Amino acid sequence: MVAAGIDIGSTGTKAVIFDGEIRASVVVPTGWDPKAAGLEAFRQALDCAGLAEGDVGSIVGTGYGRVSLPIFDRKVTEITCHARGAHFLYPETRSVIDIGGQDSKVISVDEQGRVAEFAMNDKCAAGTGRFLQVMAGVLDVSLEQLGQLAVGATPARISSMCAVFAESEVIGLLARGTDKGSIAAGIFHSIAGRIQGLAGKVTLSHRVTFSGGVALNRELCRAIGASLGVDMCVPQAPQMVGALGAAIMGFEA
Amino acid sequence: MRDVCAAFDEIAGLREKNAIALKVAKDRGRKVVGTYCLFSPVELIVAAGAIPVSLCGTSATPIPAAEKVLPRSLCPLIKSSYGFALTDTCPFFHFSDLLLAETTCDGKKKMYELLAQMKPLHLMQLPQVQDEAALDYWVLELKRLITRLEESFGVRITPEKLAGAVLLLNEERRSLKALQDVLKRRPAPISGIDLLTVLHNRGFTVDKREAIELIDRLTTELTELSDQGVSPFSDRTPRILLTGVPVGIGSEKVVRLVEELGGSVACFESCGGYKKVDPVLPGNDLLRSIAEKYLRVPCSCMSPNTGRLQLLEKLVREFDADGVIDLTWQGCHTYNVESFSVKRHLQETVQVPFLQIETDYSESDTEQLKVRIEAFLEVIGTRRGGRP
Ligand code: SF4
Ligand code: SF4
């Protein structure tokens, strides 16, 4: 059987085709129309796998846009999907950290890839992709450049977790002539602190997988790993883990 | 699942009806006492011939007005309660002759100081520990309240009147307990949202006997429906026990989301729910028995508050709960901090999945809450051997 998983997130929409192995995986920007993005990602993934829609036995949707597509046979939350996807990639994984555009989650997973418990950030943007984006904006660099800047720098102290206050703090640091590298490292440090607080709410193992698009940023992975005192497994394409989990669930159903 | 049965419809319309009934009663010379908390010894109000009404704010509407005076970061329940008073938009507040308040959490305590500038308010000093010395003190506070009620309303609270009030209120607790116990059946014959509507609305009844009769009728009708296999849920619907801060209509967001996403809130441990049904136990000294009942309330402003842990453990078993959601309002330090102990206790004893939710009365976090609650229901589903 062939299954598809479609993860409609706030910034990117991901689709994976799975038949016991990953046949295709694509990302498209979500834009303002999550429905269209979901269909587009699905179409591209089918093309890439050389399949037609009729070949797919089950389509599972996840992510914030999961309610918006009628083609889904089933909808599952991204929490369950990230757990399954991470478990498939790293069967020994017992914890998953997922930083998405709107929220971040720490999930603890059992031997079979099922969610045991989870914690999610509250209302505010602290410790999310949004926070990173705002900070990169203040420094006038891209997310990748933010990562490069931070390499080897001594983190400047950014005490506020709130995106709004941290923004003015960073502006203050710039005004005082603190170098961008230290500020970038300080920003990562601050996110790591937030994730550490979240991780304290669940049982965290030392086998941690880092998923979600933010994990592309290797310097941030390092900062979080260091603050949690763990070595993190970061998949090749961390942003695909949710869609992969969704596809696996469709495959197994 | 509206118009399930006749008794439900009648109760659903009570709030409006009772505002008018309250005005009529007032015109006939009856006194009204507004309460804010489960610690208020309602027996004393009833024995004084007055009508107790609940003024606990559960609506977001008056919050912006309250924020002109109170800090934004304060618990929404306190802001809502104060906002209703400030804007004079709650008929039950409007008709109250006296407000009864207790020194519970810090936010409420300080809010009451401001409230006292608007209406006569009697503040009871509530001890925050549940031992004999505290009970002695609390009995004195009850006596002080008797004096206040007698002086304000020109009445005498005789032992006979007090005994009558205890009988009446224990009867009310019996009926409320019987109603909630119907939800021990799997599947529950009524949704949590509908049960909450009933529990909320009966707080505004002027005639307690009438309300008891109505609740008993509802219980009978629901039992019959359940016998016939009628329920909005199935055997497999995850049953949630809700604990934590008080909820009512207007602040029912989380209850609604749980049920929209496929769960059933089968038990409310919170103030208006099961915490409330604990009766006054018979004893040689009636006033002391009343004091004992109220001092026992397992609220997070007590320290320690082991009573809540025991109650929860018992309710999880009795209601066959598949998961516990601990609802905490933003700015409520006592419930927020206590959540950690509740989680640990439940993990060590009944081992049910546990989820803490911190939110307020606004709708701004609905999407995030949905993910959390849906994932929680998925966890329950897989634990019961469903597909992951
Ligand atoms: S939670 Fe505690 S303080 Fe708040 S209303 Fe209930 S008993 Fe009173
Ligand atoms: S919910 Fe918490 S902060 Fe709000 S009134 Fe009750 S005890 Fe106080």
Side-chain angles (χ1 to χ4, degrees):
Chain A
M1 156 107 108
V2 181
I6 303 177
D7 175 5
I8 307 182
S10 57
T11 42
T13 294
K14 288 77 71 176
V16 167
I17 307 282
F18 184 85
D19 64 356
E21 272 173 73
I22 302 169
R23 288 291 160 217
S25 80
V26 301
V27 192
V28 304
T30 300
W32 51 270
D33 188 352
K35 237 186 204 152
L39 291 172
E40 177 59 18
F42 183 41
R43 198 190 54 73
Q44 286 190 19
L46 285 175
D47 277 359
C48 182
L51 294 170
E53 196 175 332
D55 301 329
V56 177
S58 170
I59 309 176
V60 176
T62 187
Y64 271 104
R66 68 189 178 284
V67 280
S68 64
L69 265 195
I71 57 165
F72 294 150
D73 296 304
R74 203 176 145 204
K75 293 163 217 149
V76 183
T77 62
E78 46 273 44
I79 294 178
T80 303
C81 288
H82 277 273
R84 291 311 305 264
H87 179 260
F88 174 81
L89 296 171
Y90 305 101
E92 72 290 356
T93 265
R94 292 295 170 270
S95 310
V96 180
I97 293 173
D98 163 40
I99 303 188
Q102 304 281 0
D103 46 42
S104 40
K105 316 168 187 82
V106 179
I107 308 162
S108 75
V109 181
D110 70 10
E111 318 73 53
Q112 291 159 59
R114 299 180 308 192
V115 177
E117 45 171 351
F118 62 89
M120 232 171 121
N121 68 307
D122 48 43
K123 270 185 173 181
C124 81
T128 68
R130 172 78 62 244
F131 180 87
L132 266 185
Q133 232 151 26
V134 171
M135 294 308 132
V138 181
L139 294 183
D140 197 22
V141 296
S142 69
L143 282 183
E144 290 87 70
Q145 288 168 323
L146 193 68
Q148 288 149 15
L149 277 172
V151 180
T154 323
R157 211 180 115 72
I158 295 169
S159 50
S160 186
M161 298 276 190
C162 163
V164 178
F165 292 126
E167 184 174 357
S168 29
E169 229 181 313
V170 168
I171 293 171
L173 287 172
L174 282 172
R176 259 175 278 139
T178 314
D179 78 272
K180 281 191 177 181
S182 302
I183 299 178
I187 290 165
F188 290 168
H189 207 71
S190 144
I191 293 199
R194 186 71 186 194
I195 297 296
Q196 194 179 11
L198 210 53
K201 296 196 191 264
V202 301
T203 335
L204 193 79
S205 76
H206 51 276
R207 299 193 189 101
V208 186
T209 299
F210 192 8
S211 69
V214 171
L216 286 167
N217 201 314
R218 302 290 143 159
E219 198 48 32
L220 180 60
C221 298
R222 216 195 42 72
I224 294 179
S227 85
L228 293 178
V230 295
D231 281 329
M232 282 203 288
C233 306
V234 185
Q236 279 274 305
Q239 72 276 34
M240 303 306 302
V241 176
L244 173 62
I248 294 172
M249 263 177 288
F251 177 75
E252 285 174 352
Chain B
M1 122 116 201
R2 300 283 133 164
D3 51 63
V4 169
C5 50
F8 177 79
D9 292 345
E10 228 172 290
I11 297 169
L14 270 183
R15 197 173 182 274
E16 283 64 37
K17 204 180 129 220
N18 279 317
I20 301 162
L22 193 65
K23 173 148 195 333
V24 173
K26 271 209 71 139
D27 290 344
R28 294 204 183 119
R30 292 283 298 276
K31 297 293 180 192
V32 179
V33 178
T35 64
Y36 287 93
C37 180
L38 201 50
F39 284 107
S40 295
V42 184
E43 279 80 358
L44 272 47
I45 301 172
V46 171
I51 301 169
V53 290
S54 163
L55 299 179
C56 176
T58 56
S59 154
T61 316
I63 288 183
E67 284 176 349
K68 288 183 188 147
V69 178
L70 300 175
R72 288 199 57 197
S73 57
L74 200 63
C75 146
L77 190 155
I78 303 177
K79 288 190 286 189
S80 174
S81 303
Y82 182 71
F84 270 125
L86 199 64
T87 53
D88 200 13
T89 43
C90 169
F92 299 92
F93 177 85
H94 183 83
F95 291 134
S96 293
D97 297 284
L98 178 70
L99 305 176
L100 179 57
E102 300 78 20
T103 51
T104 49
C105 66
D106 288 353
K108 261 190 168 173
K109 194 156 78 183
K110 300 310 279 187
M111 183 272 280
Y112 291 143
E113 291 175 10
L114 301 174
L115 214 52
Q117 292 161 16
M118 290 183 224
K119 246 190 215 287
L121 180 144
H122 181 84
L123 184 73
M124 299 182 79
Q125 298 287 339
L126 176 73
Q128 313 222 318
V129 61
Q130 293 153 319
D131 63 10
E132 279 303 305
L135 183 60
D136 291 341
Y137 182 81
W138 187 231
V139 170
L140 291 178
E141 282 298 295
L142 262 68
K143 287 186 175 151
R144 235 170 37 89
L145 174 62
I146 291 181
T147 311
R148 175 75 183 252
L149 289 167
E150 287 182 337
E151 280 171 4
S152 304
F153 300 154
V155 291
R156 279 272 302 133
I157 297 181
T158 62
E160 294 72 39
K161 283 185 183 159
L162 204 55
V166 169
L167 273 180
L168 179 67
L169 287 154
N170 271 353
E171 184 56 11
E172 181 183 62
R173 292 175 189 122
R174 186 224 23 97
S175 80
L176 288 172
K177 179 173 186 306
L179 170 67
Q180 294 173 69
D181 284 347
V182 178
L183 280 84
K184 286 182 180 168
R185 293 165 171 238
R186 187 187 272 263
I190 181 173
S191 69
I193 258 304
D194 285 348
L195 176 66
L196 187 66
T197 308
V198 172
L199 297 176
H200 183 81
N201 280 5
R202 57 109 252 137
F204 303 101
T205 40
V206 172
D207 186 336
K208 287 212 177 282
R209 278 195 191 79
E210 217 179 286
I212 294 169
E213 188 268 330
L214 203 52
I215 298 278
D216 283 345
R217 232 170 68 210
L218 179 62
T219 306
T220 313
E221 287 178 24
L222 287 175
T223 310
E224 283 164 7
L225 283 175
S226 170
D227 287 342
Q228 294 159 22
V230 178
S231 164
F233 307 113
S234 84
D235 289 357
R236 298 206 42 85
T237 306
R239 294 162 63 83
I240 302 298
L241 184 152
L242 190 81
T243 178
V245 294
V247 263
I249 298 305
S251 62
E252 82 291 351
K253 170 170 82 175
V254 167
V255 180
R256 193 169 22 85
L257 287 176
V258 167
E259 299 199 325
E260 274 172 21
L261 295 170
S264 146
V265 179
C267 178
F268 293 86
E269 180 263 352
S270 35
C271 284
Y274 230 83
K275 252 184 205 152
K276 199 187 162 67
V277 303
D278 179 24
V280 174
L281 300 175
N284 303 331
D285 178 347
L286 193 53
L287 195 64
R288 202 171 172 85
S289 301
I290 298 174
E292 243 173 359
K293 177 245 146 24
Y294 285 98
L295 194 63
R296 266 201 309 269
V297 170
C299 167
S300 65
C301 64
M302 287 292 163
S303 180
N305 184 29
T306 43
R308 180 169 173 224
L309 304 181
Q310 273 132 33
L311 178 62
L312 272 173
E313 194 185 321
K314 177 172 111 90
L315 291 179
V316 165
R317 294 204 169 99
E318 286 182 2
F319 279 81
D320 192 16
D322 300 310
V324 172
I325 294 185
D326 189 15
L327 177 63
T328 53
W329 298 134
Q330 272 163 12
C332 174
H333 301 322
T334 55
Y335 276 101
N336 270 318
V337 174
E338 200 167 277
S339 194
F340 182 80
S341 317
V342 170
K343 177 182 176 177
R344 198 175 46 195
H345 184 80
L346 292 177
Q347 271 172 351
E348 284 167 3
T349 54
V350 284
Q351 292 171 334
V352 284
F354 174 90
L355 178 72
Q356 186 201 352
I357 289 182
E358 187 184 344
T359 183
D360 60 11
Y361 289 7
S362 77
E363 296 288 335
S364 58
D365 58 348
T366 306
E367 284 309 312
Q368 277 116 314
L369 289 182
K370 273 190 187 161
V371 175
R372 242 166 266 217
I373 294 169
E374 220 176 316
F376 186 60
L377 296 174
E378 285 168 3
V379 169
I380 292 174
T382 39
R383 267 177 63 117
R384 287 207 316 222
R387 15 178 222 187

